[in-house]
Amino acid sequence: MKADPITVTKVAAKRPFHVLVKPVGPVCNLACDYCFYLDKTGLYPGNTCFEMRDEVLVAHIRNYIESQPVHCKEVTFGWQGGEPTLRGVHFFRRVVALQQKYVRPGMKIVNTLQTNGVLLNDEWGIFLKQHHFLVGISIDGDEALHDHYRKTNSGKGSYQKVIRGLKCLQKHGVDVNVLTVIQQHNGDHARRVYQHLVGLGVQFIQFIPVVEPEPGKGVSCRSVSPEQFGRFMCEVFDCWRENDIGRVFISHFDNALGMSLGMPSSSCVHASVCGENLVAEHNGDVYSCDHLVFPSFRLGNLAQADYPDLIVTPVQQQFAASKPEAARLHCLNCPVRGLCNGACPAQRVDEHGEVSFTSGHYLCKGYYQFFSHISPYLSAMGQCLRRGLPPANYQRFLSL
């Protein structure tokens, strides 16, 4: 369906921004032990329905497109949860129809969907392929590693159901990215995790460390330690460079290579500033960040304000300023600052288990170990790219 030309009447943002949407809020059909989002139902006491209403969906899609800078050529819609597939295929058919209605001439729409994979079937596979969704599916390693924390609501392991979902996506040719959470239980098994994912036919992988603040204790026992995280990432990198360069793509490595060549970070974690990756809840409430869905970081609601107005609220501006300020306090003389940029502010957890944007980063030692380890390889791969050679030829330029 061809979109009708529209006139942008709202004030556009100065720079492109991203919004991660929760179409069923924090509701999920799994009960993963380390999930930081399930308890967000507490923000809406007495509410038993967390399905995004149509008027909220329309407000988000129209506002999100119209608020992008005038010359923005691509807009990415992110759908997450909770578990967004609980909303059903019919909801996402409506999403696509609205996007086609409001898209600007010459603008490309991209959709990403993060799922646990449990509900995926042929209907989903056909739809997601037809509309070119990029699907992230969460797998923490082989069955024993995955099931340790990723359980169903009845306490059983979810691995077999998740793998059925992955195979469904692969059968229909859907673009798939596996998201693997690094936590205390799988943190000592880097090669085992990586080789299992590759054995499943996965080509695109993203790793996210678990850092759970726990009042009075610092972080929870499920949290990956800084030393574990550093070793894990180094071991995966070595396994990848020995066997899979050009065949498997890992977001941490791709991003670091790009940054070493002077490109901006494609991940907010290692960007120099925060503040342009918002979260919209099922009822239209907008928050500073996926990791900061707390009353003190609520920016407003789409029924009362447009995205450009929310981005410049004092709460969001103060949050945006916190990352470079923390980097000045703790990272000024760090030799890997250009690749790390202080990492995620939400993981600056003090010894009392409080998130403090002026504290040191909990994973600082791990990031330092990882970036120090890969820096010579990044330099060699950069030499390859400058000469028009594949990065797999890095050994020709490697100086350790």
Side-chain angles (χ1 to χ4, degrees):
M1 184 175 81
K2 185 176 180 181
D4 295 326
I6 64 170
T7 301
V8 178
T9 56
K10 299 179 184 297
V11 177
K14 293 180 180 179
R15 294 182 299 275
F17 62 97
H18 183 256
V19 180
L20 187 64
V21 179
K22 311 281 186 171
V24 290
V27 177
C28 191
N29 53 348
L30 292 185
C32 302
D33 292 341
Y34 54 62
C35 182
F36 65 90
Y37 224 81
L38 291 176
D39 64 356
K40 299 304 178 185
T41 54
L43 294 172
Y44 306 97
N47 192 356
T48 58
C49 180
F50 290 85
E51 292 186 351
M52 178 173 280
R53 299 188 310 276
D54 191 68
E55 58 266 31
V56 177
L57 179 65
V58 173
H60 164 63
I61 291 177
R62 181 171 185 172
N63 193 304
Y64 188 38
I65 290 174
E66 292 186 354
S67 297
Q68 298 294 335
V70 175
H71 300 295
C72 181
K73 297 298 183 183
E74 181 174 300
V75 177
T76 298
F77 283 80
W79 308 95
Q80 199 167 322
E83 176 47 47
T85 59
L86 287 169
R87 200 63 179 85
V89 176
H90 64 281
F91 174 85
F92 288 95
R93 295 191 193 283
R94 175 67 169 157
V95 164
V96 171
L98 288 169
Q99 290 170 342
Q100 292 173 340
K101 178 178 180 179
Y102 292 114
V103 66
R104 298 179 199 165
M107 176 182 279
K108 179 182 178 181
I109 298 292
V110 177
N111 283 286
T112 67
L113 176 74
Q114 183 62 42
T115 176
N116 58 40
V118 169
L119 296 180
L120 296 177
N121 55 25
D122 286 335
E123 182 184 15
W124 274 107
I126 292 168
F127 169 80
L128 295 168
K129 176 62 176 178
Q130 178 185 0
H131 296 288
H132 311 290
F133 274 61
L134 171 62
V135 179
I137 188 167
S138 299
I139 305 175
D140 283 0
D142 57 40
E143 187 165 7
L145 292 174
H146 176 94
D147 284 349
H148 188 78
Y149 288 135
R150 298 191 64 82
K151 297 180 175 67
T152 66
N153 287 317
S154 62
K156 297 180 180 179
S158 63
Y159 178 84
Q160 291 297 333
K161 293 181 178 181
V162 174
I163 296 304
R164 282 199 295 271
L166 172 65
K167 290 180 177 178
C168 179
L169 295 176
Q170 292 172 330
K171 179 178 75 172
H172 290 284
V174 177
D175 291 333
V176 179
N177 167 57
V178 164
L179 185 153
T180 296
V181 172
I182 311 172
Q183 21 80 1
Q184 184 276 332
H185 186 70
N186 69 2
D188 292 327
H189 304 285
R191 285 183 178 264
R192 175 179 163 186
V193 170
Y194 174 74
Q195 290 171 349
H196 182 74
L197 297 180
V198 173
L200 292 173
V202 172
Q203 288 185 285
F204 298 90
I205 304 172
Q206 179 182 3
F207 293 106
I208 296 182
V210 165
V211 179
E212 291 183 302
E214 188 166 325
K217 296 182 180 180
V219 299
S220 74
C221 61
R222 292 180 292 265
S223 300
V224 64
S225 74
E227 295 77 15
Q228 269 187 316
F229 176 65
R231 286 195 308 270
F232 187 102
M233 294 305 300
C234 290
E235 288 178 21
V236 170
F237 181 84
D238 287 341
C239 195
W240 169 78
R241 69 175 176 81
E242 291 163 3
N243 304 290
D244 298 317
I245 295 178
R247 190 171 69 88
V248 175
F249 302 89
I250 299 175
S251 59
H252 265 96
F253 307 161
D254 290 343
N255 187 59
L257 179 57
M259 292 181 72
S260 72
L261 294 170
M263 301 176 187
S265 175
S266 60
S267 166
C268 61
V269 172
H270 298 298
S272 57
V273 296
C274 286
E276 294 174 350
N277 290 277
L278 310 178
V279 169
E281 272 289 343
H282 66 288
N283 69 338
D285 283 347
V286 179
Y287 292 85
S288 293
C289 168
D290 187 33
H291 293 276
L292 296 172
V293 178
F294 301 104
S296 58
F297 289 95
R298 182 181 178 274
L299 306 180
N301 189 282
L302 290 175
Q304 288 86 38
D306 297 332
Y307 282 121
D309 298 325
L310 297 173
I311 291 173
V312 298
T313 56
V315 169
Q316 192 66 355
Q317 291 301 294
Q318 184 176 1
F319 168 59
S322 67
K323 187 169 186 177
E325 177 60 26
R328 282 192 292 270
L329 289 173
H330 299 281
C331 313
L332 191 60
N333 297 314
C334 179
V336 299
R337 180 180 180 181
L339 296 175
C340 181
N341 280 319
C344 179
Q347 294 176 340
R348 291 188 175 275
V349 182
D350 64 22
E351 65 273 17
H352 304 294
E354 299 294 331
V355 176
S356 172
F357 294 155
T358 58
S359 295
H361 198 283
Y362 171 75
L363 292 175
C364 179
K365 291 181 180 179
Y367 277 120
Y368 179 80
Q369 179 184 359
F370 168 57
F371 286 124
S372 297
H373 178 74
I374 70 172
S375 288
Y377 299 100
L378 297 181
S379 178
M381 291 176 189
Q383 295 269 27
C384 290
L385 293 173
R386 292 186 185 95
R387 289 166 170 78
L389 299 172
N393 292 349
Y394 71 89
Q395 290 184 342
R396 292 174 54 180
F397 306 99
L398 187 61
S399 176
L400 292 175

